Amino acid sequence: MRKIALLAATAAGFLLLSAVSRADTLELKDGTVLNNCYLRDEGIRLLVWRDMSEVGGPALAYPRSQVKTFKIDRDDSWDVKPSKPDLTVTYIELTPKLAGLHGRVDYDQLGRPTLRPGGPIKDIGDRKYLYPEEMVGDLKLKYKEGEEVTLTAHVKNVGFATAKPFEATFLIDGKEVKKVKGKALKEMEEISFPLKWKWQSGKHTAGFRIDTKQPEIATINNEISDPLWGFSYFYVVSKGRVKAWHETRTASGTFCFEDYYRWHVDIMNTLFEASKYPSAPNGVEARVRLDRILYADDVDASVKILTEADGIGYHQGGWIWTDSEEEKKTGKWAQTNREWRCATEWSLPHELGHQLGLVDYYALDDGGYETHTWPDNGGKVTHFQNHPVTMMHWHGPHLWSELDAGYLNKTWDMPRGHFGDYYFGLPKESAIRITDINGRGIEGAKVELFQRGVRIDKSGPVTSDGTVSYSSVIEDGNFDNSMDTTPTIMGTTGSDGLMKLPNRKVDEVRTLNGYHRTPNPFGNVNVVGARGLMLARVTKAERTTWFWLELTDFLTAVYRGESDRFVLPLKTDWPSIDSPLPPRNVKAEWIDNDHVKLTWDAPAVLNEQHYLENPGGYRVYRRIGDNGLNDRPWFPVATLNPATRECVLDLKQFPEDTYWFTQVNRFGVSSIGALGIESGIVSLMEPKKP
């Protein structure tokens, strides 16, 4: 990771006076405003140069939690070319390279990933489905302790004047191991320095530091420190594109392609470290590093170099900047506009995440079906992931999810090339638990699970597994079927509200990462997640509600230590057996465009002086959207005393969340009885506006 010197940002901050040039604005939550500064967005923090004289040097770091707003707005002064050199360490290459599996993983119609035989990958017939390690015995996948490797540091002058001769230092784990001397470098000239090193197991870093006293455009690009255990990326880019990037300054503070896009690899590592969860208290311990840049006369031809004669790519992924037909024809490459290149290209860490095997979680979102609707408004039951603000659901500026962390921490030393195989890592046993509003199990609830992506075989057998049964599924290779009207799984909850989910028969497969598709409730899930959703219709005593079962909840539970058995709680808004009676005549009316008034009457009195019928207060709720009840559940708005019969709701105030498909409002009121036990929620839709 490139070393960045960070100065402590105090609460007082800096209120800058007017400057000659127009630049960025940062407003903090404490009221501090920084005008005419220069910002870099790294997701968890903003790095700030206070004025042009600081650009390219140490930066102030402001945690994102302190930031209210910021705006990037730079004029032509940003692109003025200083008459100075600028030495940068573009990358450190490690050889010999380890084999990757990109381009050598195939998928059959049953969604099974297998290694493609050929070259050093052995053909073992049908054993490939369960014993992939037998196929890769001739591949170099890891270094041996004490093996001699070569680290080659690449230095380039990306300034606009000749750089004087300089000295430089190799570092291992931050300690100096070798000093070298570099010659004078003309503008855009490059030089490389090799270092022989005996490989050591564990997590070590290799660094390279330029030592020079000559004035430069930037100094933060004079040193890098790479995680040697990191997955190695390549970049392929045309020489013409690199030349075009040299004409303007980027968010990295320099005039080059290399600094800007190496910075994005550093950002990935920064966010890896910050992605801490119950199952990953140290964050993502895997790392990435930029191992190679291919400067191409012909990008298409250079891409072929990435695959060796044995058919293997000795890398763990990368990115290719393809040239348009116009660029190829004219030999001219236009740089992107200033607004774009002065921001963070958040799509790149997302796409490089795919290179590591991470999947798009938005594939698990669902707009609902006309055959599965809410009884109160007829709206389709939609699904939007519970925690969508992550790198692989959106792009940045977000952390990686807990599921990403679990996968990468388990496979940090394995070759890349598999995609989404962690979708196979389900618990050995799974169950759901249907509870009432007070968290108590509901006995005798009928549960029907409709699975997305399957087509039910109406003529096939229905298999019984205790109190649960499941239908036969047509396995024709189509994972993109719509939601069938026939449930895949049917059952009834026991006395504790539990319903065990059956482990359905699957076509087994195991990947080199150790993920094994075995019998499980979702059946033959594939690596994209088409069958990773089940819609649950729960019914009892003329009450019906809907939930979604998302594959990722089951997978994350495994990383949290629930690999043997996982129970997913699904909380209804229904009453307990000893709940107080609910309020009556709940009504809603608009006060203005942003406010609704709820009114209600006290519960009926059936038994005078009975403690179960003596409400100690009322709780007012709101729910937004037509998602499943566990996706965007009821949230409390107010808790009121027993004498109160109305509440005004400010609709501008609601949890900061994503309400993607609909923003329809539901309101509800419950009674609060002895020991805080609630009645069921009496709900109603938002009224029509007058």
Side-chain angles (χ1 to χ4, degrees), residues 211-227:
D211 301 309
T212 181
K213 295 182 180 179
Q214 61 188 309
E216 295 185 87
I217 294 174
T219 58
I220 59 171
N221 54 3
N222 288 162
E223 180 178 353
I224 65 174
S225 181
D226 276 354

mmCIF file of all heavy atoms in Angstrom, residues 211-227:
data_model
loop_
_atom_site.group_PDB
_atom_site.id
_atom_site.type_symbol
_atom_site.label_atom_id
_atom_site.label_comp_id
_atom_site.label_asym_id
_atom_site.label_seq_id
_atom_site.Cartn_x
_atom_site.Cartn_y
_atom_site.Cartn_z
ATOM 1 N N ASP A 211 15.043 8.302 -2.692
ATOM 2 C CA ASP A 211 15.669 9.299 -1.825
ATOM 3 C C ASP A 211 16.290 10.382 -2.700
ATOM 4 O O ASP A 211 17.318 10.161 -3.355
ATOM 5 C CB ASP A 211 16.746 8.643 -0.947
ATOM 6 C CG ASP A 211 16.172 7.538 -0.076
ATOM 7 O OD1 ASP A 211 15.171 7.788 0.608
ATOM 8 O OD2 ASP A 211 16.724 6.418 -0.089
ATOM 9 N N THR A 212 15.652 11.548 -2.756
ATOM 10 C CA THR A 212 16.141 12.649 -3.573
ATOM 11 C C THR A 212 15.784 13.975 -2.920
ATOM 12 O O THR A 212 14.754 14.086 -2.252
ATOM 13 C CB THR A 212 15.549 12.584 -4.996
ATOM 14 O OG1 THR A 212 16.061 13.673 -5.772
ATOM 15 C CG2 THR A 212 14.036 12.654 -4.963
ATOM 16 N N LYS A 213 16.639 14.972 -3.109
ATOM 17 C CA LYS A 213 16.390 16.303 -2.567
ATOM 18 C C LYS A 213 15.919 17.281 -3.631
ATOM 19 O O LYS A 213 15.640 18.449 -3.328
ATOM 20 C CB LYS A 213 17.656 16.835 -1.894
ATOM 21 C CG LYS A 213 18.079 16.033 -0.659
ATOM 22 C CD LYS A 213 19.318 16.628 -0.004
ATOM 23 C CE LYS A 213 19.717 15.818 1.232
ATOM 24 N NZ LYS A 213 20.938 16.359 1.888
ATOM 25 N N GLN A 214 15.844 16.838 -4.870
ATOM 26 C CA GLN A 214 15.428 17.750 -5.934
ATOM 27 C C GLN A 214 13.947 18.085 -5.805
ATOM 28 O O GLN A 214 13.141 17.233 -5.408
ATOM 29 C CB GLN A 214 15.712 17.129 -7.298
ATOM 30 C CG GLN A 214 14.984 15.815 -7.560
ATOM 31 C CD GLN A 214 15.443 15.133 -8.833
ATOM 32 O OE1 GLN A 214 15.491 15.762 -9.888
ATOM 33 N NE2 GLN A 214 15.797 13.862 -8.732
ATOM 34 N N PRO A 215 13.548 19.314 -6.086
ATOM 35 C CA PRO A 215 12.123 19.679 -6.034
ATOM 36 C C PRO A 215 11.335 18.856 -7.060
ATOM 37 O O PRO A 215 11.779 18.675 -8.194
ATOM 38 C CB PRO A 215 12.131 21.166 -6.393
ATOM 39 C CG PRO A 215 13.530 21.624 -6.124
ATOM 40 C CD PRO A 215 14.406 20.458 -6.430
ATOM 41 N N GLU A 216 10.172 18.357 -6.619
ATOM 42 C CA GLU A 216 9.335 17.542 -7.497
ATOM 43 C C GLU A 216 7.893 18.029 -7.460
ATOM 44 O O GLU A 216 7.485 18.739 -6.534
ATOM 45 C CB GLU A 216 9.369 16.079 -7.059
ATOM 46 C CG GLU A 216 10.712 15.405 -7.174
ATOM 47 C CD GLU A 216 10.596 13.930 -6.818
ATOM 48 O OE1 GLU A 216 10.292 13.136 -7.728
ATOM 49 O OE2 GLU A 216 10.772 13.586 -5.638
ATOM 50 N N ILE A 217 7.112 17.590 -8.414
ATOM 51 C CA ILE A 217 5.685 17.914 -8.428
ATOM 52 C C ILE A 217 5.002 17.276 -7.232
ATOM 53 O O ILE A 217 4.123 17.875 -6.609
ATOM 54 C CB ILE A 217 5.047 17.438 -9.745
ATOM 55 C CG1 ILE A 217 5.610 18.241 -10.928
ATOM 56 C CG2 ILE A 217 3.525 17.578 -9.689
ATOM 57 C CD1 ILE A 217 5.155 17.745 -12.278
ATOM 58 N N ALA A 218 5.398 16.050 -6.897
ATOM 59 C CA ALA A 218 4.782 15.330 -5.779
ATOM 60 C C ALA A 218 5.843 14.509 -5.055
ATOM 61 O O ALA A 218 6.866 14.136 -5.637
ATOM 62 C CB ALA A 218 3.666 14.415 -6.274
ATOM 63 N N THR A 219 5.571 14.240 -3.794
ATOM 64 C CA THR A 219 6.468 13.394 -3.000
ATOM 65 C C THR A 219 5.783 12.135 -2.497
ATOM 66 O O THR A 219 6.458 11.175 -2.117
ATOM 67 C CB THR A 219 7.022 14.179 -1.800
ATOM 68 O OG1 THR A 219 5.921 14.645 -0.993
ATOM 69 C CG2 THR A 219 7.865 15.355 -2.259
ATOM 70 N N ILE A 220 4.446 12.109 -2.468
ATOM 71 C CA ILE A 220 3.755 10.926 -1.935
ATOM 72 C C ILE A 220 3.901 9.714 -2.848
ATOM 73 O O ILE A 220 3.581 8.598 -2.447
ATOM 74 C CB ILE A 220 2.254 11.203 -1.693
ATOM 75 C CG1 ILE A 220 1.554 11.621 -2.986
ATOM 76 C CG2 ILE A 220 2.054 12.220 -0.601
ATOM 77 C CD1 ILE A 220 0.046 11.687 -2.858
ATOM 78 N N ASN A 221 4.381 9.923 -4.070
ATOM 79 C CA ASN A 221 4.595 8.799 -4.978
ATOM 80 C C ASN A 221 6.050 8.333 -4.980
ATOM 81 O O ASN A 221 6.452 7.553 -5.852
ATOM 82 C CB ASN A 221 4.147 9.157 -6.398
ATOM 83 C CG ASN A 221 4.792 10.433 -6.911
ATOM 84 O OD1 ASN A 221 5.630 11.037 -6.237
ATOM 85 N ND2 ASN A 221 4.392 10.844 -8.101
ATOM 86 N N ASN A 222 6.847 8.799 -4.007
ATOM 87 C CA ASN A 222 8.253 8.397 -3.931
ATOM 88 C C ASN A 222 8.466 7.083 -3.187
ATOM 89 O O ASN A 222 9.585 6.561 -3.158
ATOM 90 C CB ASN A 222 9.085 9.480 -3.238
ATOM 91 C CG ASN A 222 9.291 10.719 -4.088
ATOM 92 O OD1 ASN A 222 9.634 11.770 -3.597
ATOM 93 N ND2 ASN A 222 9.073 10.603 -5.387
ATOM 94 N N GLU A 223 7.437 6.572 -2.563
ATOM 95 C CA GLU A 223 7.593 5.330 -1.809
ATOM 96 C C GLU A 223 6.311 4.508 -1.868
ATOM 97 O O GLU A 223 5.209 5.057 -1.760
ATOM 98 C CB GLU A 223 7.941 5.621 -0.351
ATOM 99 C CG GLU A 223 8.127 4.360 0.483
ATOM 100 C CD GLU A 223 8.526 4.650 1.919
ATOM 101 O OE1 GLU A 223 8.792 5.814 2.246
ATOM 102 O OE2 GLU A 223 8.566 3.688 2.723
ATOM 103 N N ILE A 224 6.484 3.201 -2.031
ATOM 104 C CA ILE A 224 5.356 2.287 -1.926
ATOM 105 C C ILE A 224 5.756 1.109 -1.041
ATOM 106 O O ILE A 224 6.940 0.807 -0.882
ATOM 107 C CB ILE A 224 4.869 1.768 -3.299
ATOM 108 C CG1 ILE A 224 5.936 0.920 -3.982
ATOM 109 C CG2 ILE A 224 4.428 2.901 -4.190
ATOM 110 C CD1 ILE A 224 5.457 0.255 -5.267
ATOM 111 N N SER A 225 4.754 0.477 -0.460
ATOM 112 C CA SER A 225 4.959 -0.726 0.342
ATOM 113 C C SER A 225 3.873 -1.720 -0.029
ATOM 114 O O SER A 225 2.694 -1.453 0.196
ATOM 115 C CB SER A 225 4.904 -0.400 1.839
ATOM 116 O OG SER A 225 5.121 -1.552 2.619
ATOM 117 N N ASP A 226 4.279 -2.819 -0.627
ATOM 118 C CA ASP A 226 3.320 -3.789 -1.157
ATOM 119 C C ASP A 226 3.206 -5.014 -0.256
ATOM 120 O O ASP A 226 4.222 -5.525 0.237
ATOM 121 C CB ASP A 226 3.750 -4.256 -2.548
ATOM 122 C CG ASP A 226 3.293 -3.314 -3.641
ATOM 123 O OD1 ASP A 226 2.548 -2.376 -3.329
ATOM 124 O OD2 ASP A 226 3.681 -3.523 -4.807
ATOM 125 N N PRO A 227 1.991 -5.523 -0.061
ATOM 126 C CA PRO A 227 1.810 -6.783 0.675
ATOM 127 C C PRO A 227 2.200 -7.958 -0.211
ATOM 128 O O PRO A 227 1.548 -8.226 -1.224
ATOM 129 C CB PRO A 227 0.309 -6.779 0.985
ATOM 130 C CG PRO A 227 -0.300 -5.984 -0.126
ATOM 131 C CD PRO A 227 0.717 -4.955 -0.534
#
